[in-house]
Amino acid sequence: MDWQKGEESQNVEVDQGGGGGRGFGGGRLGIGGLLILALLGWIFFKNPLALLDQGGGQPTTYAPSGQPVQVDPQQKEFVSRVLGSTEKTWTDIFAGMGRTYVDPKLVLFSGGVNTACGAASTAVGPFYCPGDQKVYLDLDFFRELQTRFHSSGDFARAYVIAHEVGHHVQNQLGIFDKTAQLQRRGAAMQGATGLSVRQELQADCFAGVWANRTQQRLQWLQPGDVESALNAASQIGDDTLQREARGTVVPDSFTHGTSAQRVKWFKTGLESGDIRSCDTFSGAL
């Protein structure tokens, strides 16, 4: 992936207030959060979402460690250029719908971070917080993507960022509000056809739309890049993580979709380049 072709974003921030503290935040759980929550939740037969501090009582906060967060300049530039490519793509798509896209901020952190959704530890990995419209990315996650998820390559890392930005797109389109309304009416969040799975698969599809549109504009993909992103999607399916964690699969506790579904919906967006193909809330998944 010739990522240097990407437009550089001015919306990347480095958090200096992390470190210390324990617990998970109450934001939109991201791709990386599945691994640790799966190990904690599915091994001990608990709902992984119950391991998040999602309200009730005082929110957990992190105290600054006193040590500046060290950011590799090349890594920051990579993140900035991928984020910039999402900004260009979604600005154009929203303009085509007669709407205005508001860019999210992307915060690089290490150890822990305080957000409008509560505090989050490194274990949660990348996630999006609708409360402050920011994507949070742990600086060590890309290494974990390769060592634990067996997914290497720049495009696999770019897919992770694009997925989290996909949640921001959902927020901009009012999909989060619609999901909350459906939940209040009794629709289940968890489960193989639950709202959480549908929301996550749509973010995968939106990431595919970004990949399609950005490739048309920049021609930055190289042989093997798409395969690396598809492999990343397949490694973080609920069924794969559950099978690795406890040897069995429990569809009633799904939150992100199976490996096959994640690959399917990313490919759907990638092949169509059209967000209208990403309706995961109607019909079969």
Side-chain angles (χ1 to χ4, degrees), residues 40-281:
L40 293 175
W42 291 314
I43 287 177
F44 297 106
F45 299 91
K46 294 182 183 293
N47 172 4
L49 295 183
L51 297 171
L52 296 173
D53 177 19
Q54 300 208 43
Q58 297 299 315
T60 304
T61 59
Y62 283 91
S65 64
Q67 299 296 323
V69 176
Q70 300 297 319
V71 181
D72 178 80
Q74 187 177 46
Q75 184 183 60
K76 184 178 180 182
E77 182 185 356
F78 170 80
V79 171
S80 175
R81 291 191 183 277
V82 171
L83 182 65
S85 74
T86 68
E87 292 168 353
K88 171 61 176 172
T89 293
W90 290 110
T91 294
D92 290 348
I93 291 175
F94 271 53
M97 298 187 295
R99 305 181 61 149
T100 301
Y101 179 69
V102 179
D103 298 336
K105 301 288 187 180
L106 189 150
V107 181
L108 298 172
F109 73 95
S110 179
V113 65
N114 295 312
T115 80
C117 299
S121 74
T122 293
V124 178
F127 65 97
Y128 172 69
C129 172
D132 53 24
Q133 299 189 55
K134 293 182 179 182
V135 172
Y136 290 87
L137 177 62
D138 170 30
L139 291 167
D140 293 328
F141 177 73
F142 288 155
R143 181 169 60 250
E144 189 172 36
L145 184 67
Q146 181 173 357
T147 59
R148 294 201 179 191
F149 293 131
H150 314 294
S151 299
S152 59
D154 291 331
F155 194 55
R157 292 187 279 270
Y159 154 71
V160 171
I161 296 172
H163 172 95
E164 299 307 333
V165 171
H167 286 311
H168 178 67
V169 172
Q170 290 174 322
N171 193 24
Q172 294 277 293
L173 294 175
I175 293 170
F176 277 14
D177 291 337
K178 293 178 181 178
T179 300
Q181 292 173 6
L182 290 171
Q183 185 181 16
R184 286 194 292 270
R185 294 172 186 169
M189 282 298 294
Q190 282 187 272
T193 60
L195 296 174
S196 178
V197 167
R198 294 181 183 277
Q199 192 162 285
E200 292 296 334
L201 294 178
Q202 187 177 63
D204 281 332
C205 188
F206 284 171
V209 170
W210 156 82
N212 175 293
R213 296 293 190 97
T214 305
Q215 174 63 5
Q216 289 185 41
R217 187 173 70 255
L218 299 178
Q219 294 296 309
W220 63 353
L221 295 184
Q222 299 170 344
D225 283 342
V226 171
E227 289 76 11
S228 72
L230 293 175
N231 179 61
S234 69
Q235 292 294 323
I236 52 181
D238 285 324
D239 55 338
T240 299
L241 290 175
Q242 288 187 6
R243 194 174 293 112
E244 291 177 354
R246 50 182 281 191
T248 59
V249 176
V250 184
D252 286 347
S253 64
F254 282 2
T255 58
H256 283 61
T258 66
S259 294
Q261 288 172 327
R262 303 205 70 168
V263 169
K264 169 191 171 182
W265 284 102
F266 177 74
K267 289 179 68 176
T268 296
L270 177 64
E271 292 169 359
S272 71
D274 187 347
I275 65 171
R276 291 175 295 182
S277 70
C278 298
D279 182 8
T280 57
F281 287 86

